[in-house]
Amino acid sequence: MSYKILDGKKTSLSIQQEIAEEVNKIVEAGGKRPHLSAVLVGNDPASKAYVGHKVKACKVVGFESSIVERPSNITENELLQIVEELNNSEEVDGFIVQLPLPSHIDSQKVIEAVSPSKDVDGFHPENVGKMSLGLSTFKPATPAGVMTLLERHGVKTEGMHAVVIGRSDIVGNPMSALLRMNTEPGNCTVTQCHSRTVDLMSHTLQADLLITAIGKPHFVTADMVKEGVVIVDVGINRIDDPSRKSGSRLTGDVDFENVAPKCSWITPVPGGVGPMTIATLLENTLRAANDRS
Ligand code: NAP
């Protein structure tokens, strides 16, 4: 089967272009540029890179951005204080606290301290609850980005059997919730799998739409999927690659080379879901700014 690419890079650039045009209009009308802030705790290289990408994207669309950087030995109270300051800031429209946080900090407590009106990651229980009910709110950037990616490529998901592998609060759970909504994309019959699922392959073989959010390189192999499946690979894994100058490269949860020929549509990694996550975060920030003005 000749497969088509769900091109997250191109789609993200189109969305950024649309946002930049809206920001121009706001500024020309005398309004304030939307401002996204990111709280970065510690020295995790991946977290630093993700925050760097987000700040760079802010520049592209004309947002203000700021990073609040603190060492990994920051106390929970100090971090909660920063969250409170950002909640009360007149300047900042939306902010994220980059996860994971050091183990001595209760991440859930921090997530719940973020004002729901500035929670552009969509992680606060109030926003999660609204999303689960199908109410208008900030949706978590990665699964919402997947929905936009499907929509913008004209992939009709109504009636599909969607199989989601993963049950994290940031990807697997909200992804399943969005796919079963009475929306387009959406209207799927959803099976959600995780590490305790018995005979995973019996589920993946039924998938018309397979979403992988596992964090294991090349976990999904060609024998696990049926012909014509649509695959969205959320996984980002770093593997050794001596042919690269850096000695490593990023890859997904799916063995792309062998699985893609069975697909109708598939995301590449990188260049699939990652850029869509950033585009959605920008959309959420624009919305937060518009709600406040
Ligand atoms: P996570 O919290 O570690 O969740 C991984 C999920 O995979 C868990 O629910 C786990 O099951 C399940 N799992 C692990 N091994 C399995 C197995 N052998 N069979 C079936 N299920 C298995 O990770 P996450 O935060 O959701 O992220 C998942 C991946 O997506 C990572 O590679 C991450 O880097 C990537 N990611 C990408 C983006 C993006 O923008 N593209 C954004 C966020 C995350 P249990 O619950 O039973 O442990």
Side-chain angles (χ1 to χ4, degrees), residues 264-284:
S264 52
W265 292 92
I266 185 166
T267 53
V269 179
V273 177
M276 293 306 297
T277 299
I278 293 191
T280 311
L281 180 66
L282 297 173
E283 285 179 331
N284 283 350

Side-chain angles (χ1 to χ4, degrees), residues 38-234:
V39 181
L40 178 59
V41 177
N43 279 317
D44 177 46
S47 292
K48 278 197 162 188
Y50 292 143
V51 168
H53 292 322
K54 290 166 189 173
V55 166
K56 200 170 145 205
C58 283
K59 288 210 176 81
V60 171
V61 299
F63 285 3
E64 298 287 350
S65 63
S66 51
I67 308 179
V68 183
E69 262 189 279
R70 291 293 181 274
S72 58
N73 63 359
I74 187 175
T75 66
E76 189 176 279
N77 274 339
E78 283 166 339
L79 184 55
L80 290 170
Q81 176 95 38
I82 290 169
V83 168
E84 197 49 31
E85 281 163 20
L86 291 169
N87 283 340
N88 295 326
S89 163
E90 281 303 317
E91 260 310 300
V92 172
D93 297 298
F95 66 98
I96 59 161
V97 181
Q98 184 66 44
L99 300 176
L101 291 170
S103 56
H104 66 277
I105 294 176
D106 181 347
S107 301
Q108 191 57 31
K109 204 166 167 183
V110 175
I111 288 168
E112 289 183 26
V114 175
S115 164
S117 65
K118 291 193 177 183
D119 171 39
V120 287
D121 257 341
F123 293 164
H124 190 283
E126 185 176 313
N127 289 326
V128 175
K130 283 185 172 174
M131 179 208 62
S132 306
L133 293 169
L135 301 174
S136 173
T137 189
F138 299 119
K139 293 178 187 141
T142 299
V146 170
M147 299 299 273
T148 308
L149 188 63
L150 293 167
E151 183 185 14
R152 294 218 176 193
H153 285 81
V155 178
K156 300 270 175 259
T157 63
E158 182 172 331
M160 278 187 170
H161 183 178
V163 175
V164 176
I165 313 180
R167 56 175 165 182
S168 71
D169 289 336
I170 63 168
V171 192
N173 285 342
M175 191 74 255
S176 302
L178 292 175
L179 287 170
R180 66 171 178 259
M181 292 284 162
N182 183 3
T183 52
E184 185 54 58
N187 276 319
C188 293
T189 303
V190 180
T191 297
Q192 196 175 2
C193 303
H194 44 77
S195 69
R196 312 297 167 90
T197 297
V198 174
D199 195 4
L200 182 69
M201 195 164 156
S202 68
H203 299 286
T204 57
L205 277 170
Q206 289 179 43
D208 304 309
L209 170 61
L210 179 65
I211 314 268
T212 60
I214 311 165
K216 293 193 170 158
H218 303 169
F219 181 87
V220 174
T221 47
D223 56 338
M224 292 173 71
V225 302
K226 70 178 181 188
E227 286 285 335
V229 63
V230 177
I231 295 190
V232 176
D233 186 352
V234 181

Side-chain angles (χ1 to χ4, degrees), residues 241-268:
D241 183 349
S243 73
R244 300 282 174 105
K245 218 160 116 189
S246 64
S248 68
R249 70 180 161 95
L250 295 180
T251 191
D253 291 337
V254 177
D255 174 13
F256 185 95
E257 199 186 333
N258 295 305
V259 174
K262 290 184 88 173
C263 297
S264 52
W265 292 92
I266 185 166
T267 53

